[in-house]
Amino acid sequence: MLKTPLLDRVDTPADLRALDKKDLVQLAGELRAEIIDAVSITGGHLGAGLGVVELTTAIHYVFNTPDDKLIWDVGHQAYPHKILTGRRHRIRTLRQGGGLSGFTKRSESEFDPFGAAHSSTSISAGLGMAVARDLEGGNNKVICVIGDGAMSAGMAYEAMNNAGHLKSRLIVILNDNDMSIAPPVGAMSAYLSRLISGRTYLGIREMGKRVAEKLPQSLQVAAKRAEEYARGFWTGGTLFEEMGFYYVGPIDGHNLDHLLPVLENVRDSIYNGPILVHVVTKKGRGYAPAETAADKMHGVSKFDVLTGTQVKPKSVTPSYTKVFADSLITEARHDKKIVAITAAMPSGTGLDLFQKEFPDRTFDVGIAEQHAVTFAAGLATEGYKPVCAIYSTFLQRAYDQVVHDVAIQNLPVRFALDRAGLVGADGATHAGSFDITYLSCLPNFVLMAAADERELQHMTATLAAYNEGPIALRYPRGEGTGLMLQERGTVLEVGKGRILREGTKVALLSYGARLQECLKAADQLGAQGLSVTVADARFAKPLDEGLVKQLATHHEALITIEDGAVGGFGSHVLQSLAQQGLLDLGLKIRSMVLPDVFIDHDTQLRQYEQAGLAAADIVTQTLEAIGISGASRTTIRAMMGA
């Protein structure tokens, strides 16, 4: 049983601020232990949260949250923040159905002024809040915490550039947890940071400005630059100064004696304009297994607290991500023009495996999806075969580049969209719900969706071989279905689907990973005496119109099934049927898509049940389409053993 006497007294930041400063080190230790214990039960993001325990404690102690707005970039480091803001009693429900989100979420707490799960949005959002405050004549503080990884995205610099221009009071805390920017921090750095953030220095600085204003213009500029570069020499902050920020740091993010006075100085600063506080932290801090792990235990399943050993169910089939990576490696061995691109997700997309074999043909561009796509377009113009492996939800960030730089120019860029469909514990922010819709409307694109791991092999081979224009392949999160894999995939005929079962009454036309549910539904319908055809479209674009016509003219009802939003595959089937006049003949047609809501975190199984895309839902939809009503989804699920 954890002993947390100080943490037990803290339900909100107001309780935290009632503590004596000398108690904060102990409180931080108790908070760290609580996070480790909670995440060992729930799984989730561990290393990032451990790295900001002292920083979180200091911010809530110094600033008057929630009146002062605190924005966490990405949000996966916000577990200590959640514990200190009234959510400790629910912290062991993290990422579970009906429980706390793994990220910040406005509907969850007044202490979460901005929801985030994609990176590099905090400065833009915070600047918006700061400007709104200024327009209202308010005086509250706005604090954005952004990691050095998120600073690899252009959006962060766009926001900083605008903040420097607007000169609104905004505090940005750069959480440098990889030592990628700062030199080692120590007593001298801490002293200088405290000095230059204090009123005395700023008062002298303002006096110096007034004196300089009496000088000729050329000398004014020279004096200003001399002061900025003098501070930049000691602190490394010249880049931020050039963007209009007053730079403070670097300081040790685990030393409360350093953090508290600097944050207090920044809070009370007479400086009118944006301030950047550079804090150096260590991911996984205070938990030895995390500190020594290569990934600092960034994302973990349930684990043993004493050893850090994660409890992972033994996999009998490879994940779709690994099947894709292995298949791409196979293709790359046969074609030296194939190169792979990831946007800071090498392990998540499987390209870490590709990189081991082809280090010179693998490019991690950082959290910069826009750049990744146009970079790939440039490679394609020179005869290379770039494969952009990007989660479906993250490709949304580069949509203009997909349209303008790839599609319009008909460049053969290949897109491998991992995490297509619903993704489980990461929830709505990471769900690949929209790619079928947002890509299928673009001229020149070929769209494929893998129904199983063997199809993924074939489609990866097709992706590599296709050179007529842009092509995209989507596949789900999780493990395959257990099919025997081939040594190498077979290139498919573009735009041709396949029939798996032949029937006469009803046709189920699947696009993507719901095919297994269609087969289960067909079994149940067959048990009720209905003859069912099951087909796999394989391609949403170009659509196999011959297959669609065959299914429409030889069956009483046609049901399309996809794990994407409205406007995708089913809409294209309906358009094709209308254009061919096949809707005029009494065909009963239904499109099963994701509902028009954002589905919260839960298991993938439960999410698809909520979405109405499980086998029982397909059975119910089919029976209703042909006029047989009665059995509810609950009854059908019970009959099917779901």
Side-chain angles (χ1 to χ4, degrees):
M1 183 71 178
L2 283 178
K3 292 183 179 180
T4 53
L6 282 178
L7 188 59
D8 292 344
R9 292 164 52 187
V10 175
D11 186 52
T12 68
D15 301 324
L16 171 65
R17 291 189 281 271
L19 297 177
D20 194 291
K21 281 185 181 179
K22 65 181 175 57
D23 293 328
L24 295 185
V25 172
Q26 179 183 333
L27 177 82
E30 293 177 10
L31 179 57
R32 179 170 278 111
E34 179 76 355
I35 294 166
I36 294 168
D37 186 72
V39 180
S40 75
I41 295 169
T42 65
H45 294 99
L46 181 64
L50 294 179
V52 295
V53 167
E54 287 82 10
L55 179 60
T56 305
T57 302
I59 291 172
H60 281 299
Y61 191 82
V62 170
F63 293 96
N64 187 34
T65 54
D67 291 335
D68 289 339
K69 309 295 184 183
L70 172 58
I71 305 160
W72 293 94
D73 207 282
V74 185
H76 60 228
Q77 74 278 51
Y79 297 179
H81 162 78
K82 291 189 182 224
I83 292 171
L84 294 177
T85 54
R87 288 169 275 183
R88 183 187 180 190
H89 66 291
R90 299 183 63 208
I91 199 65
R92 287 164 182 79
T93 69
L94 271 168
R95 294 160 52 88
Q96 299 172 36
L100 292 178
S101 168
F103 306 97
T104 52
K105 192 173 184 180
R106 278 175 55 82
S107 62
E108 194 175 281
S109 171
E110 65 177 333
F111 289 93
D112 292 359
F114 199 77
H118 292 190
S119 89
S120 315
T121 61
S122 60
I123 304 176
S124 297
L127 181 59
M129 293 177 193
V131 169
R133 172 205 61 205
D134 296 344
L135 292 172
E136 291 293 317
N139 61 2
N140 64 297
K141 309 298 189 293
V142 179
I143 309 102
C144 309
V145 183
I146 183 169
D148 58 332
M151 291 292 284
S152 67
M155 183 176 178
Y157 293 97
E158 292 173 16
M160 291 185 70
N161 182 59
N162 193 212
H165 170 71
L166 292 175
K167 293 182 171 54
S168 283
R169 283 295 308 276
L170 176 70
I171 299 166
V172 174
I173 298 176
L174 171 59
N175 175 32
D176 180 1
N177 59 28
D178 198 30
M179 298 301 289
S180 60
I181 300 175
V185 290
M188 178 59 74
S189 175
Y191 171 74
L192 287 171
S193 297
R194 185 172 180 176
L195 176 70
I196 65 177
S197 65
R199 283 179 172 268
T200 301
Y201 177 86
L202 287 168
I204 295 172
R205 187 176 191 248
E206 289 302 310
M207 182 175 68
K209 279 186 178 179
R210 288 195 292 272
V211 171
E213 286 171 0
K214 307 297 183 183
L215 300 174
Q217 182 66 30
S218 60
L219 293 180
Q220 286 185 42
V221 173
K224 178 176 183 291
R225 289 190 177 276
E227 191 268 346
E228 288 178 352
Y229 279 99
R231 284 192 296 119
F233 174 78
W234 288 106
T235 65
T238 303
L239 167 66
F240 304 111
E241 291 281 352
E242 287 297 307
M243 299 189 77
F245 275 71
Y246 184 82
Y247 175 89
V248 177
I251 56 176
D252 184 349
H254 299 297
N255 190 325
L256 287 163
D257 290 336
H258 293 176
L259 275 173
L260 290 169
V262 169
L263 291 181
E264 287 168 348
N265 283 341
V266 168
R267 178 195 63 196
D268 302 331
S269 172
I270 61 174
Y271 179 72
N272 283 319
I275 299 175
L276 186 136
V277 182
H278 186 173
V279 174
V280 177
T281 64
K282 183 178 181 181
K283 283 183 78 170
R285 171 79 172 201
Y287 183 51
E291 289 186 356
T292 56
D295 66 348
K296 307 303 178 187
M297 293 183 73
H298 173 74
V300 296
S301 56
K302 299 176 184 180
F303 63 92
D304 181 271
V305 173
L306 293 177
T307 64
T309 303
Q310 297 184 46
V311 181
K312 294 184 177 180
K314 288 188 177 180
S315 174
V316 295
T317 58
S319 69
Y320 282 98
T321 300
K322 188 172 189 308
V323 172
F324 163 73
D326 289 342
S327 301
L328 187 63
I329 289 168
T330 298
E331 297 304 320
R333 288 171 183 156
H334 292 84
D335 190 341
K336 65 180 182 180
K337 291 292 187 179
I338 292 175
V339 295
I341 300 164
T342 177
M345 298 293 288
S347 60
T349 59
L351 290 192
D352 57 335
L353 303 177
F354 188 93
Q355 186 174 32
K356 287 178 182 177
E357 184 154 349
F358 304 108
D360 295 335
R361 293 159 61 183
T362 309
F363 303 93
D364 184 348
V365 302
I367 304 174
E369 291 85 0
Q370 292 173 302
H371 164 63
V373 172
T374 305
F375 172 60
L379 280 161
T381 65
E382 297 302 306
Y384 277 84
K385 298 180 177 181
V387 178
C388 282
I390 300 176
Y391 290 5
S392 167
T393 184
F394 294 146
L395 188 61
Q396 295 163 184
R397 296 164 67 100
Y399 191 61
D400 180 64
Q401 287 68 31
V402 172
V403 176
H404 185 272
D405 299 334
V406 175
I408 288 178
Q409 301 189 93
N410 197 32
L411 290 171
V413 175
R414 290 102 173 138
F415 295 93
L417 307 187
D418 204 328
R419 294 348 188 236
L422 302 177
V423 296
D426 283 334
T429 56
H430 283 59
S433 305
F434 309 112
D435 61 90
I436 307 172
T437 303
Y438 70 65
L439 292 178
S440 64
C441 64
L442 300 179
N444 298 325
F445 255 89
V446 170
L447 303 184
M448 303 179 288
D452 54 54
E453 61 269 50
R454 190 183 296 158
E455 283 291 291
L456 180 53
Q457 270 195 313
H458 299 328
M459 290 182 180
T460 304
T462 307
L463 187 90
Y466 187 77
N467 210 39
E468 305 306 311
I471 184 169
L473 161 61
R474 75 187 316 255
Y475 47 97
R477 180 177 195 167
E479 296 176 3
T481 62
L483 293 176
M484 183 71 69
L485 296 175
Q486 299 179 186
E487 188 174 326
R488 185 182 182 188
T490 302
V491 176
L492 302 175
E493 182 180 354
V494 172
K496 290 297 178 183
R498 58 176 178 149
I499 292 178
L500 285 84
R501 295 188 188 177
E502 296 242 27
T504 58
K505 182 74 171 178
V506 176
L508 303 179
L509 178 56
S510 174
Y511 179 64
R514 292 286 90 194
L515 180 64
Q516 301 306 312
E517 296 299 301
C518 290
L519 292 169
K520 292 177 187 176
D523 289 340
Q524 178 63 27
L525 291 166
Q528 297 182 43
L530 291 176
S531 180
V532 180
T533 293
V534 179
D536 174 15
R538 281 179 164 164
F539 296 85
K541 193 171 188 180
L543 184 65
D544 189 342
E545 295 193 337
L547 175 62
V548 170
K549 183 176 182 179
Q550 177 186 343
L551 298 178
T553 54
H554 291 88
H555 298 82
E556 180 181 332
L558 171 60
I559 317 293
T560 66
I561 304 97
E562 64 193 292
D563 54 348
V566 65
F569 173 71
S571 297
H572 284 264
V573 171
L574 284 168
Q575 175 73 8
S576 174
L577 291 170
Q579 290 296 104
Q580 296 183 69
L582 297 174
L583 294 178
D584 309 336
L585 306 176
L587 175 69
K588 296 167 182 174
I589 175 97
R590 300 288 187 275
S591 292
M592 298 184 69
V593 299
L594 291 176
D596 193 27
V597 295
F598 290 106
I599 296 177
D600 281 335
H601 52 280
D602 208 325
T603 65
Q604 282 178 288
L605 176 64
R606 288 176 182 162
Q607 285 182 324
Y608 278 115
E609 288 178 350
Q610 292 176 48
L613 287 176
D617 305 300
I618 298 170
V619 170
T620 301
Q621 186 74 264
T622 302
L623 293 176
E624 290 175 353
I626 61 176
I628 301 175
S629 59
S632 68
R633 285 171 169 78
T634 303
T635 302
I636 292 169
R637 283 196 180 112
M639 291 167 58
M640 299 177 68

